[in-house]
Amino acid sequence: LDSLHQEMEECLKKLGFGFIKRTGQGGGGCISQGEVFNTDKGKIFVKKNSKKGADVMFKGEMRSLEEIESTNTIKVPHPIAVTDNPEGPGTIFVMEYLDMKYLSNQAALGEALAKLHLHNRSREGQEGYVEEFGFDTKTCCGFIPQDNSWQSDWVTYYKSKLEEQVKLTKDKELLGIWSRFQEKIGDYFEGLTIKPSLLHGDLWSGNASQCGDKPVIFDAAAFYGHDEYDLGIAKMFGGFDRDFYSAYHSLIPKQPGFEKRNELYQLFHQLNHWNHFGSGYRSSSMRIIKNLM
């Protein structure tokens, strides 16, 4: 065990840290595990995953955090490096450690999220404006990679995003109704002009917290898309209160048809959870499709 510990410390030193000491603090979710280290440059958090394909997941998360951080609208852990796991198979992702606490200032999160969503749109016509939907690398919502290939039209992009998940279920009934359902998706966007917003991509309450009195978001699966998309999983799992939504919608007012589109955006996450965790999510996925048809 000591030699494994030594290998991790040597690996971290190669990334430019002079002093490394394990704290014994750890943490993790249902996908990856993590550990906290003291260094000469402050505390760092090292996320580990031994699965094949973890490099794609962590590289996507690193790019997501870099892109969100570059907007200066909302705090994220500063990403440092993705490299091979020195303690065995898989990959590690090294980032700044943030002393996070329970999210009590939900209005601040709502406002910061809206500012993130407005950031790209405020640069329209200027250098650096992203005019298409997608992202420059694959990102994973959970462990499943999302293609993120650029599209000029949001509805086309979102249909292909849903179709990726639909095909992975290999469910005959779902595959049977998908061709009819996808023809209806455009109806929910009639009269809307959608400009690309940088999205977190997996914003349930477990991926939001607070550092001091500032909101923090993490575990991102970013891409440029419709701002309302981020509110899909937010609503699906709850945990965000009226203050969050009031602050958000004071900057980005609800558009006609919002509630139905919110169901449409929850559908992606229902299908993604079905593909990750099994058919416990089948009936809720089918129910949304039948409601919207």
Side-chain angles (χ1 to χ4, degrees):
L1 195 64
D2 280 349
S3 68
L4 280 181
H5 281 185
Q6 220 171 333
E7 281 175 24
M8 177 63 84
E9 286 169 22
E10 279 168 23
C11 170
L12 294 173
K13 279 180 180 166
K14 280 181 193 157
L15 297 176
F17 297 101
F19 163 79
I20 307 282
K21 191 172 189 299
R22 275 184 146 84
T23 63
Q25 276 178 281
C30 45
I31 306 286
S32 301
Q33 289 307 305
E35 198 178 349
V36 182
F37 292 80
N38 284 317
T39 81
D40 54 321
K41 297 175 182 174
K43 280 185 177 177
I44 57 170
F45 185 66
V46 178
K47 226 168 155 179
K48 276 185 270 193
N49 193 296
S50 58
K51 271 188 177 175
K52 198 176 168 215
D55 59 330
V56 173
M57 176 178 72
F58 284 156
K59 281 172 184 166
E61 187 181 343
M62 178 154 175
R63 269 297 295 123
S64 298
L65 294 180
E66 285 172 345
E67 195 81 351
I68 294 169
E69 187 177 58
S70 75
T71 67
N72 290 314
T73 55
I74 190 163
K75 178 80 182 151
V76 293
H78 174 66
I80 297 165
V82 171
T83 189
D84 291 341
N85 179 14
E87 298 180 332
T91 310
I92 62 170
F93 178 17
V94 184
M95 67 187 89
E96 170 192 19
Y97 170 79
L98 293 177
D99 189 17
M100 294 191 277
K101 59 180 187 182
Y102 175 74
L103 176 68
S104 56
N105 192 351
Q106 293 226 358
L109 176 65
E111 184 182 340
L113 182 68
K115 285 178 175 170
L116 171 68
H117 289 169
L118 291 168
H119 180 264
N120 182 55
R121 289 168 17 206
S122 70
R123 297 191 298 179
E124 194 173 357
Q126 298 167 29
E127 198 183 337
Y129 175 65
V130 176
E131 59 187 359
E132 293 200 321
F133 302 97
F135 203 50
D136 56 21
T137 186
K138 283 183 178 176
T139 51
C140 297
C141 191
F143 199 75
I144 296 171
Q146 306 171 95
D147 177 36
N148 293 336
S149 293
W150 296 100
Q151 295 275 2
S152 57
D153 172 66
W154 168 248
V155 174
T156 307
Y157 179 86
Y158 190 57
K159 276 186 194 176
S160 66
K161 190 173 172 57
L162 283 176
E163 189 164 57
E164 266 187 314
Q165 295 289 335
V166 167
K167 286 179 172 170
L168 283 172
T169 67
K170 299 183 170 65
D171 185 271
K172 281 204 176 102
E173 187 190 355
L174 175 58
L175 289 162
I177 60 172
W178 167 247
S179 56
R180 278 181 298 143
F181 176 63
Q182 69 161 336
E183 285 169 14
K184 272 196 66 68
I185 291 174
D187 298 353
Y188 295 105
F189 296 90
E190 275 177 15
L192 285 191
T193 304
I194 296 169
K195 299 288 167 100
S197 290
L198 179 58
L199 306 176
H200 174 282
D202 191 13
L203 193 67
W204 66 292
S205 57
N207 287 344
S209 189
Q210 204 167 305
C211 197
D213 58 356
K214 286 202 167 79
V216 182
I217 54 176
F218 46 93
D219 286 359
F223 63 97
Y224 285 86
H226 185 198
D227 50 33
E228 292 177 8
Y229 177 85
D230 264 346
L231 301 180
I233 194 167
K235 181 81 187 290
M236 176 172 150
F237 285 123
F240 295 112
D241 65 17
R242 194 179 296 163
D243 292 347
F244 166 81
Y245 287 106
S246 303
Y248 180 88
H249 289 304
S250 70
L251 292 175
I252 302 179
K254 275 187 187 181
Q255 298 294 311
F258 174 89
E259 306 301 339
K260 287 285 189 196
R261 288 189 301 276
N262 188 266
E263 281 188 66
L264 189 61
Y265 293 143
Q266 287 183 49
L267 177 61
F268 171 82
H269 295 285
Q270 293 282 359
L271 293 168
N272 189 43
H273 277 71
W274 178 355
N275 285 317
H276 273 91
F277 306 114
S279 58
Y281 287 90
R282 183 183 189 277
S283 62
S284 45
S285 301
M286 298 303 277
R287 186 167 61 246
I288 289 176
I289 290 174
K290 286 169 183 172
N291 278 351
L292 292 173
M293 279 177 84

